[in-house]
């Protein structure tokens, strides 16, 4: 993977260079702690840390060249080559894909964007493609998979160095496809630089991340960048397709930006793919998919109307990639679940416990609507809102919890640097407003400690009730102001149920 420095600097049209260019670059990094001998070090200017302050540390660890965006006359090591550019992030986005030999041009790349449904859609598509005999990689919220090899992840979409390195590893491991969750942050910040997507999928668009995007229009435009990228003149691969949810108002916007064949899907409208005769149960669902192939009857182990849409997205993608309908059906009917996505916790209790990642208003409403469809008793909702994130969604989620639930327990999610009580006060505004409307007979409590809230919910539950624990899903940690602790909603629920059982 080594490259000549001169070969890389050709990509930087306006760079000013001091020092030797006949250097061999063995690695790239923007974190001085990851520098090894022969590294090209990018000095990124962040909110809290400035990479320019770590040039000496990078040199000590073996960096042979640094990319900077301001004067750094105090560099002690005279042997280091200085490359000055207008924006080090832009330079990094140009150089890194080249350093790794453009792996995104060697794989069939499927990108999934949208507020909710990305994770389940990627896993559904992965199963279908594998059933069709392909070797498949996956990059998403829960983990990165290279075939069956799992790697830990930090962000929904990794930064450009981590992403390109992972894609290169996938190429070397013989993968044909990679399916990626592509977040709006990644698109806005161009973390996907060097990736050439072949299929772009749009799931849905609801309020989220307005702390970053400021306006809903900016949020939509960030998502649309995935579809604009399908028609770039620099693309090297043929056969681009957009797969869009026609029932979502933003679906038409994504389709217009695609400038390539579009497979639309819908439940309430007529799409290329349309679902009908939907039946949702606690442990599964059944429905028909009508499309160019005729009618596909599906009986699945996953439930919820939101999963009907996820399945339609997966069917559209598989058709775009030439997978026969009979293989699609077989894969979907063999699919069981995704960790933390409407996951049933079964420990012998006479009531239902569901853990779900729902952390947006739309996500919470979706899972509550689904629970309401099969609940024979009360719905007990445990949920919170993350700290240092969009505050405007907190009262909205409080309202929804009361609207669909019978007992609401507001608690901490990942408070991060915020005071949990401040977050809960925002949530409580919506709860009180909903209780003052047509929701008589419903109750709520605020229990800041998440373990105590889950314990209380399970102890309240009676036969046929549904306990929904929302917000963290697959996560096995909780981020507090000064530390990150081990915390798994599923494990906590099982422990409480077992304790209750042991106590008779």
């Amino acid at each position: 993977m080594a490259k000549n420095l001169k070969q890389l600097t050709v990509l930087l049209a306006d760079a000013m260079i001091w020092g030797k260019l006949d250097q061999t670059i063995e690695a790239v990094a923007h974190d001085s702690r990851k520098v090894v001998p022969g590294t090209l070090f990018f000095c990124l200017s962040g909110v809290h840390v400035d990479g320019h302050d770590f040039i000496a540390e990078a040199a000590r660890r073996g960096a042979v060249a640094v990319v900077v965006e301001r004067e750094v006359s105090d560099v002690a090591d005279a042997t280091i080559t200085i490359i000055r550019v207008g924006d080090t992030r832009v330079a990094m986005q140009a150089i890194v894909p080249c350093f790794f030999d453009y792996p995104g041009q060697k794989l069939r790349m499927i990108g999934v964007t949208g507020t909710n449904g990305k994770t389940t859609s990627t896993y559904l598509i992965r199963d279908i493609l594998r059933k069709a005999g392909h070797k498949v990689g996956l990059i998403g919220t829960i983990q990165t998979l290279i075939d069956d090899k799992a790697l830990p992840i930090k962000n929904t979409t990794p930064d450009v160095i981590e992403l390109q390195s992972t894609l290169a590893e996938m190429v070397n491991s013989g993968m044909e496809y990679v399916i990626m969750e592509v977040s709006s942050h990644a698109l806005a910040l161009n973390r996907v630089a060097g990736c050439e997507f072949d299929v772009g999928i749009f799931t849905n668009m609801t309020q989220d991340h307005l702390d970053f995007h400021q306006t809903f229009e900016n949020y939509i435009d960030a998502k649309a960048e995935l579809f604009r990228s399908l028609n770039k003149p620099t693309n090297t691969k043929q056969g681009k397709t957009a797969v869009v949810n026609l029932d979502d108002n933003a679906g038409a916007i994504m389709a217009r930006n695609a400038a390539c064949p579009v497979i639309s899907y819908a439940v309430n409208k007529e799409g290329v793919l349309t679902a009908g005769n939907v039946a949702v149960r606690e442990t599964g669902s059944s429905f028909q998919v009508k499309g160019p192939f005729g009618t596909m009857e599906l009986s699945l182990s996953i439930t919820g109307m939101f999963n009907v849409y996820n399945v339609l997205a997966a069917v559209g993608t598989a058709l775009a990639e030439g997978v026969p309908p009979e293989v699609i059906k077989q894969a979907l009917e063999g699919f069981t679940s995704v960790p933390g996505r409407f996951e049933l916790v079964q420990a012998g209790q006479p009531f239902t416990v569901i853990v779900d990642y729902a952390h947006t208003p739309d996500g919470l409403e979706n899972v509550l609507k689904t629970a309401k469809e099969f609940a024979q008793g009360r719905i007990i909702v445990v949920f919170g809102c993350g700290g240092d994130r969009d505050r405007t969604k907190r009262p909205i989620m409080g309202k929804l919890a009361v609207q669909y639930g019978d007992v609401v327990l507001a608690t901490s999610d990942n408070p991060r640097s915020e005071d949990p009580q401040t977050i809960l006060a925002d949530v409580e505004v919506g709860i009180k407003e909903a209780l003052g409307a047509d929701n008589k007979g419903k109750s709520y409590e605020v229990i800041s400690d998440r373990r105590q809230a889950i314990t209380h919910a399970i102890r309240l539950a009676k036969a046929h009730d549904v306990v929904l624990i929302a917000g963290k899903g697959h996560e096995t940690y909780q981020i507090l102001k000064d530390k990150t602790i081990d915390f798994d909603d599923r494990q906590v629920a099982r422990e409480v149920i077992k304790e209750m059982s042991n106590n008779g």
Side-chain angles (χ1 to χ4, degrees):
M1 205 66 72
K3 288 281 188 299
N4 182 271
L5 181 58
K6 186 173 184 178
Q7 179 185 355
L8 296 176
T9 55
V10 167
L11 300 168
L12 308 177
D14 300 322
M16 294 185 288
I17 300 169
W18 295 270
K20 296 187 298 180
L21 284 177
D22 59 342
Q23 308 247 40
T24 299
I25 301 301
E26 303 284 354
V28 288
H30 61 74
D31 183 336
S32 61
R33 294 167 297 185
K34 295 182 179 180
V35 169
V36 295
T39 294
L40 171 60
F41 179 62
F42 296 92
C43 300
L44 304 186
S45 301
V47 176
H48 304 294
V49 177
D50 186 344
H52 296 80
D53 298 334
F54 295 89
I55 293 175
E57 171 69 8
R60 188 182 67 78
R61 289 175 177 266
V64 294
V66 294
V67 181
V68 301
E69 58 188 21
R70 60 176 170 79
E71 188 176 343
V72 284
S73 55
D74 58 339
V75 176
D77 193 333
T79 65
I80 284 191
T81 300
I82 307 293
I83 303 158
R84 186 171 174 182
V85 296
D87 188 321
T88 51
R89 285 183 192 278
V90 172
M92 182 173 73
Q93 289 158 3
I95 283 177
V96 170
C98 175
F99 176 79
F100 287 104
D101 291 329
Y102 297 103
Q105 294 178 358
K106 299 171 184 176
L107 296 154
R108 287 294 288 177
M109 294 200 67
I110 297 171
V112 186
T113 197
T115 308
N116 299 304
K118 295 188 294 295
T119 300
T120 300
S121 296
T122 59
Y123 277 77
L124 288 164
I125 296 163
R126 173 178 180 263
D127 269 24
I128 295 170
L129 290 173
R130 294 182 86 190
K131 180 67 74 174
H134 298 292
K135 292 180 72 65
V136 184
L138 181 146
I139 299 172
T141 307
I142 298 175
Q143 60 191 349
T144 291
L145 291 169
I146 302 178
D147 219 352
D148 287 317
K149 178 185 173 185
L151 308 174
I153 56 95
K154 294 177 185 174
N155 301 306
T156 299
T157 310
D159 71 43
V160 66
I161 293 178
E162 186 183 349
L163 176 55
Q164 293 296 318
S165 172
T166 300
L167 293 176
E169 187 177 347
M170 288 182 176
V171 169
N172 293 336
S173 300
M175 297 302 104
E176 301 165 72
Y177 280 90
V178 59
I179 310 156
M180 279 180 60
E181 292 184 47
V182 186
S183 69
S184 56
H185 286 72
L187 290 162
L189 298 172
N190 201 22
R191 288 184 194 147
V192 293
C195 293
E196 184 184 330
F197 290 97
D198 301 288
V199 180
I201 303 160
F202 170 69
T203 60
N204 52 59
M205 199 85 187
T206 60
Q207 182 175 330
D208 198 20
H209 303 307
L210 297 192
D211 53 318
F212 177 79
H213 296 290
Q214 302 300 314
T215 69
F216 197 62
E217 290 70 28
N218 289 346
Y219 185 30
I220 291 174
D221 191 62
K223 296 286 190 193
E225 181 56 34
L226 174 63
F227 299 90
R228 288 192 286 269
S229 78
L230 297 174
N231 196 39
K232 282 184 177 176
T234 53
N235 284 347
T236 61
K237 294 176 283 180
Q238 301 297 312
K240 310 295 185 184
T241 309
V243 180
V244 302
N245 177 1
L246 204 59
D247 281 345
D248 190 289
N249 291 334
I253 298 172
M254 304 303 157
R256 283 199 301 272
N257 276 274
C260 68
V262 174
I263 296 177
S264 60
Y265 62 92
V267 175
N268 302 319
K269 295 179 181 175
E270 284 294 322
V272 174
L273 300 172
T274 307
N277 293 342
V278 180
V280 171
R281 303 176 302 280
E282 178 183 346
T283 56
S285 58
S286 59
F287 55 96
Q288 295 176 330
V289 180
K290 293 181 180 176
F293 46 76
T295 301
M296 182 187 295
E297 300 277 353
L298 291 174
S299 180
L300 306 179
S301 298
I302 55 175
T303 190
M305 185 57 74
F306 53 92
N307 272 327
V308 174
Y309 284 97
N310 294 334
V311 167
L312 289 172
V315 172
T317 304
L319 291 174
E321 292 303 296
V323 180
E326 60 272 18
V327 175
I328 297 172
K329 175 179 166 68
Q330 190 180 1
L332 290 172
E333 294 193 330
F335 188 84
T336 51
S337 67
V338 178
R341 300 316 192 266
F342 216 81
E343 186 175 348
L344 291 170
V345 176
Q346 295 172 315
Q349 76 278 11
F351 49 86
T352 302
V353 177
I354 298 163
V355 171
D356 194 89
Y357 188 55
H359 60 285
T360 65
D362 184 62
L364 186 62
E365 185 172 22
N366 281 336
V367 294
L368 284 168
K369 275 184 176 177
T370 299
K372 208 163 182 67
E373 287 188 41
F374 59 74
Q376 297 175 39
R378 300 171 301 167
I379 296 177
I380 301 170
V381 190
V382 181
F383 84 104
C385 293
D388 303 333
R389 298 294 185 269
D390 182 6
R391 290 186 59 174
T392 62
K393 69 182 181 183
R394 295 171 186 173
I396 300 170
M397 291 176 70
K399 267 190 200 176
L400 289 168
V402 172
Q403 184 181 337
Y404 292 99
D406 299 291
V407 180
V408 175
L409 302 178
T411 189
S412 293
D413 189 301
N414 290 316
R416 299 183 177 89
S417 71
E418 280 195 74
D419 179 354
Q421 299 302 331
T422 302
I423 299 169
L424 288 166
D426 290 340
V427 172
E428 206 172 358
V429 170
I431 291 175
K432 287 179 175 177
E433 189 178 325
L435 284 171
D438 300 322
N439 291 298
K440 301 276 190 267
K442 300 191 176 187
S443 64
Y444 86 96
E445 291 182 58
V446 174
I447 304 174
S448 178
D449 185 281
R450 192 172 181 90
R451 183 178 292 272
Q452 288 179 19
I454 293 171
T455 301
H456 187 48
I458 289 172
R459 286 179 176 163
L460 283 175
K462 298 173 183 174
H464 308 302
D465 285 347
V466 175
V467 177
L468 173 68
I469 306 168
K472 291 174 58 57
H474 64 281
E475 292 179 355
T476 57
Y477 55 84
Q478 188 176 27
I479 306 170
L480 309 176
K481 183 174 289 187
D482 57 345
K483 60 187 173 181
T484 297
I485 62 171
D486 291 335
F487 198 99
D488 185 329
D489 286 351
R490 300 159 297 184
Q491 183 182 331
V492 172
R494 286 191 193 97
E495 287 170 1
V496 176
I497 294 165
K498 184 179 178 183
E499 183 185 320
M500 285 173 57
S501 177
N502 290 341
N503 294 337

